[in-house]
Amino acid sequence: MGPPKNAVRSISQEAFDEVVKENMDDLGMDPTEALQDAIQTLTLQGVDLSGIVTCVPGEGSVKDNPVIHCLDRLNQLNAGPSNQIDDETVELLNKLTELCNSEGSGNAAIASRNGGVEIICSICSKVQKGCEHAIVSALKALAFLLHDLQSRETFRASDGPKLVVGIITDGFENIDILSSGFAVIDAAATGNEVLKELFVELKIEELILRVLSVKREASIQSVYDAIRVLLTPDDNRVLASQVFGYARKFAKIGIARALVDSIRAGLSSSSLVSASIALKAVAVNDEICTSISENGGVDAVLICIDDSSEQGNKTVAKVCCSLLCKLAGSDANKTTIVEKKGMDRLIKLSARFFDDPTVLQEIMAVISVLSLRSPENAARAIEAGAGELALQAMQKFPAAQQMQKNSCLMIRNLVARNAANRTLLLNSGVEKHIRVAKQNHVSCKEAATDALRDLGLDDYNV
């Protein structure tokens, strides 16, 4: 693991307060001016001020900050001889959660910078069975505090992964503990390869499968979010993430199959979107994609696509198209999708959401993958209306960069091995729109050039 990229400078609370004091004593600034100058100067110098309590001297102190007040009192109660968590501790934890959930307040950074993670981990280690409400309050607060590299490293140093996995295991029958516990895993593993590895070493996949199998009806959102995070290579400190291997391990024990079962619940499930994103994260190779289809995954996704069209649910439409695109990476699945009238269903979906280029670009991505190296599928796509979709969408949304790019990619795959499609699309006048996309959007240049070349145009590089 290499050093963090784009590392920023940090400053202690004491050093910050000293800068403000110097502005007043040495430069004769009034308190408000001294504070604002310190903030501006340090920010321009690239100093990270997150977690620093900024208060005007004489009008308040660090100790007056409500977050600091909560932490000080929690620390006092936690230092007591009793292992029982009293009502005051629970109230303070709930207050801390409320403060840290205040968007734009910076309170989560203040809490984690002033020992919040260590205090809550210590409280969690002392909670006895029968105090479920206390442990839920502690886990909810902890999830908010794990917001950056430092707070997550503090969590690791506090033996947090083992602690949380143990709490989830012991409190398995309590839905609130499962939900808040997996929310902590989600927050902790985000952007941290070491914590992902620690959770896998603790066999988190077995616990996840148990929840998906036994508690499926509870539809616990954070479980799906945790799967996604554990299988996402989002730590820029590492050159080669291990998440690909974790995904294969997850699939091997049955998590992919369990996720298909979750998706079968359809739009009636509040976790459909999260389950679809989680399944996409697990589907990392041809073997897994094929097994998902064999367990009914393609059928389930196509039904959700149909239902999203009927119910006008754009979010489900986009997420399910994205999942279908991943599954279509398997040649066997390409055939299955086309045989199940996937092309027609996608074009029908495009007609339903033709006012939204973000939906159209996902549909185009699926058709592009289905047509890749398959002249037969490309012909079927044109028969279904993919050519008209490309032409009309490029005309209607010239400023939609990603949609324009996906349209060019789709056109390329439609014509690369199909001369008949080439003639049809050229006669439709699509060349003009490809050239406009190439000229107007840098991100489209390569895809547009490739599309023009595969359309058989000699001046494709102009």
Side-chain angles (χ1 to χ4, degrees), residues 36 38 61 87 95 119 123 130 163-165 225 232 243 290 304 324 332 339 344 360 368 370 373 376 384 406 443 449:
Q36 292 304 319
S61 68
D87 290 341
K95 179 64 175 177
I119 293 170
I123 291 172
L163 180 65
V164 171
V165 170
D225 294 339
T232 299
V243 299
T290 303
C304 288
L324 190 65
E339 287 177 349
D344 296 310
L360 299 182
S368 182
L370 291 172
R373 298 188 303 273
E376 298 82 6
N406 284 11
S443 62
T449 299

Side-chain angles (χ1 to χ4, degrees), residues 325-385:
C325 188
K326 189 75 172 286
L327 298 178
S330 158
D331 286 341
N333 286 355
K334 283 185 176 70
T335 301
T336 300
I337 293 167
V338 173
E339 287 177 349
K340 294 179 180 296
K341 299 184 178 180
M343 295 291 191
D344 296 310
R345 294 160 93 163
L346 290 167
I347 296 301
K348 180 181 178 182
L349 185 69
S350 72
R352 177 66 174 84
F353 295 117
F354 197 72
D355 62 332
D356 191 335
T358 65
V359 179
L360 299 182
Q361 70 194 30
E362 298 296 339
I363 294 169
M364 291 172 175
V366 183
I367 295 173
S368 182
V369 173
L370 291 172
S371 303
L372 180 64
R373 298 188 303 273
S374 176
E376 298 82 6
N377 287 353
R380 185 69 197 88
I382 289 292
E383 290 172 8

Side-chain angles (χ1 to χ4, degrees), residues 74-387:
L74 281 170
N75 204 25
Q76 291 172 7
L77 294 170
N78 185 51
S82 174
N83 283 341
Q84 292 293 329
I85 305 301
D86 60 17
D87 290 341
E88 184 183 0
T89 299
V90 174
E91 288 175 7
L92 287 166
L93 289 168
N94 292 339
K95 179 64 175 177
L96 184 61
T97 299
E98 181 184 340
L99 289 167
C100 293
N101 192 27
S102 177
E103 189 173 351
S105 66
N107 286 336
I110 292 173
S112 61
R113 190 161 187 160
N114 287 277
V117 174
E118 297 95 325
I119 293 170
I120 296 178
C121 284
S122 177
I123 291 172
C124 287
S125 69
K126 296 180 178 180
V127 176
Q128 298 178 345
K129 288 185 177 180
C131 296
E132 286 85 358
H133 66 295
I135 199 67
V136 169
S137 294
L139 291 172
K140 285 181 177 179
L142 184 57
F144 281 109
L145 266 58
L146 301 176
H147 67 99
D148 63 1
L149 176 62
Q150 186 58 52
S151 58
R152 292 172 184 126
E153 286 300 305
T154 302
F155 175 75
R156 179 182 64 80
S158 301
D159 208 15
K162 184 176 180 180
L163 180 65
V164 171
V165 170
I167 289 171
I168 294 173
T169 303
D170 292 341
F172 188 81
E173 296 306 318
N174 187 304
I175 298 300
D176 290 334
I177 287 180
L178 294 180
S179 179
S180 54
F182 277 102
V184 171
I185 293 173
D186 174 12
T190 298
N192 197 302
E193 186 78 13
V194 175
L195 282 168
K196 294 180 203 289
E197 183 178 2
L198 288 174
F199 282 120
V200 172
E201 287 177 355
L202 291 165
K203 300 188 183 301
I204 192 63
E205 70 277 8
E206 295 179 4
L207 196 50
I208 288 171
L209 179 60
R210 187 180 168 204
V211 174
L212 292 177
S213 302
V214 179
K215 303 292 184 182
R216 186 190 312 146
E217 297 302 319
S219 195
I220 303 171
Q221 172 91 21
S222 59
V223 177
Y224 303 109
D225 294 339
I227 295 171
R228 169 184 53 80
V229 166
L230 289 166
L231 302 184
T232 299
D234 56 359
D235 189 337
N236 61 13
R237 299 171 299 163
V238 300
L239 297 176
S241 175
Q242 300 300 310
V243 299
F244 181 81
Y246 302 158
R248 288 185 295 172
K249 179 179 290 189
F250 279 33
K252 185 175 181 180
I253 70 165
I255 288 177
R257 188 183 308 112
L259 288 170
V260 171
D261 290 339
S262 296
I263 291 172
R264 281 198 185 97
L267 273 69
S268 63
S269 170
S270 61
S271 296
L272 172 60
V273 170
S274 297
S276 298
I277 294 172
L279 183 56
K280 181 182 176 182
V282 176
V284 295
N285 62 24
D286 190 271
E287 180 184 357
I288 296 171
C289 287
T290 303
S291 70
I292 289 170
S293 178
E294 291 171 350
N295 284 289
V298 167
D299 283 322
V301 175
L302 287 172
I303 289 171
C304 288
I305 285 175
D306 292 342
D307 290 346
S308 72
S309 178
E310 291 178 11
Q311 298 182 29
N313 193 319
K314 292 182 181 180
T315 302
V316 170
K318 287 189 284 187
V319 168
C320 286
C321 280
S322 180
L323 173 55
L324 190 65
C325 188
K326 189 75 172 286
L327 298 178
S330 158
D331 286 341
N333 286 355
K334 283 185 176 70
T335 301
T336 300
I337 293 167
V338 173
E339 287 177 349
K340 294 179 180 296
K341 299 184 178 180
M343 295 291 191
D344 296 310
R345 294 160 93 163
L346 290 167
I347 296 301
K348 180 181 178 182
L349 185 69
S350 72
R352 177 66 174 84
F353 295 117
F354 197 72
D355 62 332
D356 191 335
T358 65
V359 179
L360 299 182
Q361 70 194 30
E362 298 296 339
I363 294 169
M364 291 172 175
V366 183
I367 295 173
S368 182
V369 173
L370 291 172
S371 303
L372 180 64
R373 298 188 303 273
S374 176
E376 298 82 6
N377 287 353
R380 185 69 197 88
I382 289 292
E383 290 172 8

